[in-house]
């Protein structure tokens, strides 16, 4: 399949001038790209990561960013990160829940250990809950608060990884319920649902990425910047009348079964 042309990422002005933003899991990949995009549009960004050194290195390369170690599995660490953002920036206007854990499946479902299941859900789903709980009063106080969570197509269809997929599906549900609770308080809550994205997690598995690209209607896998652009839209005033939605950013993966269509084409 011919790949869709790669258009340059454009930054449409400075929609986040004066905003304070916290991004979890932002030491690399989608989180780092999101921090970079929001900072490029004027935000002060707290780059958090379970690896404090990685957070600081990422922040050091982003103007207007500050690094801070935060384990979203630890309530005290989450509350400390939120407090630091408010103290440093004067307000917290946007929370981006990106931190997650994805453990490989056991060969047989009945051999899945409790610890693996619990870890993926605790970091991916409960971690987002902890961050939203700590941030919400400050997002309400800002008068323009927004939460954007990073889900996955794994939460909508079967692509493997039982615990990770269940956690991502839970994030979509949490987005819907929290949006209804937060809307009367002036806070919007939305979710971005990426397909396969070429991040450091795929290092050494580039052939698998190349094969995956053939299953995407737009002919390629995603880039972190693709997801960051969607996050920036949903966090901005451009999406002022949007809340509770799940936005697939997946190259068309969920809309078309490319392999099946090819099978039918080959039979004709």
């Amino acid at each position: 399949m011919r790949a869709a042309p790669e258009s340059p990422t454009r930054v449409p002005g400075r929609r986040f001038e004066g905003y304070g933003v916290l991004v979890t899991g932002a030491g690399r990949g989608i989180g780092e790209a999101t921090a970079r995009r929001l900072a490029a549009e004027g935000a002060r960004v707290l780059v958090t990561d379970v690896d404090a050194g990685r957070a600081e290195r990422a922040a050091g390369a982003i103007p207007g960013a500050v690094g801070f170690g935060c384990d979203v599995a630890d309530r005290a660490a989450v509350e400390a990160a939120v407090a630091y953002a408010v103290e440093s920036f004067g307000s917290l206007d946007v929370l981006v829940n990106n931190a997650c854990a994805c453990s490989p499946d056991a060969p047989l479902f009945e051999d899945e250990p409790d610890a693996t299941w619990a870890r993926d859900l605790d970091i991916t789903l409960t971690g987002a809950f902890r961050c939203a709980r700590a941030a919400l009063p400050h997002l309400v106080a800002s008068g323009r608060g927004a939460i954007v969570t990073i889900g996955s197509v794994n939460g909508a269809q079967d692509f493997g990884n039982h615990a990770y997929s269940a956690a991502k599906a839970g994030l979509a549900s949490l987005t819907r319920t929290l949006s209804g609770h937060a809307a009367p308080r002036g806070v919007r809550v939305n979710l971005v649902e990426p397909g396969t994205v070429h991040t450091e997690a795929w290092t050494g598995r580039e052939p698998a990425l190349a094969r995956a690209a053939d299953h995407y209607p737009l002919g390629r896998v995603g880039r972190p910047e693709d997801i960051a652009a969607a996050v920036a839209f949903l966090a901005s005033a451009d999406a002022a009348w949007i809340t509770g939605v799940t936005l697939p950013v997946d190259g068309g993966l969920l809309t078309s079964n490319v392999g099946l269509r090819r099978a039918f084409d080959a039979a004709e």
Side-chain angles (χ1 to χ4, degrees), residues 14-147:
R14 293 174 69 81
R15 295 178 291 184
F16 300 101
E17 196 73 53
Y19 278 56
V21 175
L22 190 158
V23 185
T24 68
R28 59 187 179 184
I30 291 171
E32 181 181 12
T34 298
R36 189 179 303 278
R37 174 61 184 260
L38 298 180
E41 294 201 43
R44 298 285 308 282
V45 181
L46 190 66
V47 174
T48 74
D49 197 280
V50 67
D51 183 330
R54 189 162 60 203
E56 291 168 4
R57 288 190 297 272
I62 302 173
V66 180
F68 194 87
C70 177
D71 180 359
V72 299
D74 181 340
R75 179 174 184 173
V78 167
E79 292 177 349
V82 168
Y84 188 82
V86 174
E87 179 183 355
S88 299
F89 307 146
S91 68
L92 181 61
D93 305 283
V94 175
L95 168 67
V96 180
N97 286 314
N98 173 67
C100 69
C102 181
S103 304
D105 289 336
L108 293 176
F109 184 79
E110 56 267 36
D111 294 331
E112 289 284 339
D114 285 3
T116 297
W117 180 269
R119 176 179 180 271
D120 281 15
L121 266 69
D122 189 41
I123 294 173
T124 306
L125 177 57
T126 310
F129 154 73
R130 292 186 186 101
C131 292
R133 178 178 59 189
L136 190 57
H138 304 285
L139 297 173
V140 171
S142 83
R144 56 189 180 189
I147 297 173

Side-chain angles (χ1 to χ4, degrees), residues 194-207:
T196 307
V197 178
H198 190 174
T199 65
E200 293 89 340
W202 288 92
T203 299
R205 296 190 290 161
E206 287 78 8

